[in-house]
Amino acid sequence: MLRSVAVLVLDQVAPFELGVLAEVFGTDRTADGFPGYRFDVCSPDGRPVRTSSGFQLIPHADLGPLQDADLVAVPAHDRCASVPEPVLDAMA
């Protein structure tokens, strides 16, 4: 059963796509009978990333939660940017 979701945000993340994930998995709707999830927003080093709209986003964590997550989601981001090696290792 899906219990934990980790969202990996990279530089130039698309805020709409991140928002959809946050709305679906990060909003507590257990009072309405829907399942609850542990929801972590992660960046490669736990530091803020810039969105494609120009504002910064502060994640909850570094790459740690990806290891135990039942679902890892990566919202759209700048495809031309290189993916840091630690991210590739964490996703392997």
Side-chain angles (χ1 to χ4, degrees):
M1 181 171 189
L2 183 67
R3 296 183 189 273
S4 61
V5 177
V7 177
L8 175 60
V9 292
L10 299 171
D11 193 44
Q12 297 297 310
V13 63
F16 177 80
E17 283 78 0
L18 174 60
V20 170
L21 291 165
E23 191 65 30
V24 171
F25 297 109
T27 300
D28 183 2
R29 291 190 174 85
T30 55
D32 296 325
F34 293 98
Y37 305 99
R38 187 186 85 214
F39 182 76
D40 292 299
V41 177
C42 310
S43 71
D45 54 8
R47 291 190 168 149
V49 296
R50 186 162 299 281
T51 70
S52 60
S53 296
F55 61 88
Q56 284 192 332
L57 175 78
I58 301 172
H60 297 119
D62 59 11
L63 298 175
L66 273 64
Q67 295 176 4
D68 299 323
D70 297 320
L71 173 67
V72 174
V74 183
H77 61 280
D78 181 0
R79 294 182 313 137
C80 296
S82 62
V83 177
E85 193 68 32
V87 170
L88 298 175
D89 292 341
M91 298 294 284

